[in-house]
Amino acid sequence: QVRLVESGGGLVQPGGSLRLSCAASVSIFIVNVMSWFRQTPGKKREFVATITSSGTSNYADSVKGRCTIPRDNAKNTVYMQMDSLKLEDTAVYYCYGRVSGESYWGQGTQVTVSS
């Protein structure tokens, strides 16, 4: 069983920055893919960013250029750094991990962008 625990959400002003953390209960060397998704009420969960175990990253068009997904292998943690936040970035952000074909989700952390 793999546990993913997110942290770092909160209230941020438009134009501001935030960094979310996703700590895994296992070595992230064995996690094939770690990703961030987000969801707002009444909408489907949408992809935000992903990084593979080899370090290849990919981003949704809506966040490309203002989002990075660095990883700290020593801490078994993946981050999501997002700058130039917009009102439409308000959502619950979820960490996702895939290990040997099994999918795991964190509990989610709320991010609210508001002035």
Side-chain angles (χ1 to χ4, degrees):
Q1 187 72 14
V2 177
R3 288 187 65 237
L4 302 172
V5 180
E6 303 101 332
S7 61
L11 177 64
V12 186
Q13 290 190 338
S17 298
L18 65 80
R19 188 177 80 159
L20 303 181
S21 301
C22 174
S25 61
V26 298
S27 169
I28 59 174
F29 283 113
I30 69 168
V31 184
N32 307 112
V33 175
M34 290 193 77
S35 307
W36 289 95
F37 287 75
R38 64 187 181 187
Q39 189 170 24
T40 54
K43 292 190 175 181
K44 287 185 177 180
R45 195 169 295 188
E46 66 172 8
F47 165 76
V48 178
T50 192
I51 187 165
T52 67
S53 55
S54 61
T56 301
S57 58
N58 194 23
Y59 302 92
D61 289 342
S62 58
V63 302
K64 203 169 288 184
R66 55 191 188 95
C67 179
T68 58
I69 184 170
R71 53 191 286 161
D72 186 332
N73 295 331
K75 294 183 178 180
N76 295 326
T77 298
V78 170
Y79 305 93
M80 189 191 75
Q81 174 73 38
M82 192 179 296
D83 303 316
S84 303
L85 283 162
K86 306 175 182 179
L87 298 178
E88 53 264 40
D89 293 320
T90 295
V92 177
Y93 284 73
Y94 295 90
C95 180
Y96 165 87
R98 191 169 72 234
V99 180
S100 300
E102 296 290 330
S103 294
Y104 301 90
W105 293 93
Q107 81 286 353
T109 184
Q110 176 71 47
V111 172
T112 302
V113 182
S114 175
S115 55

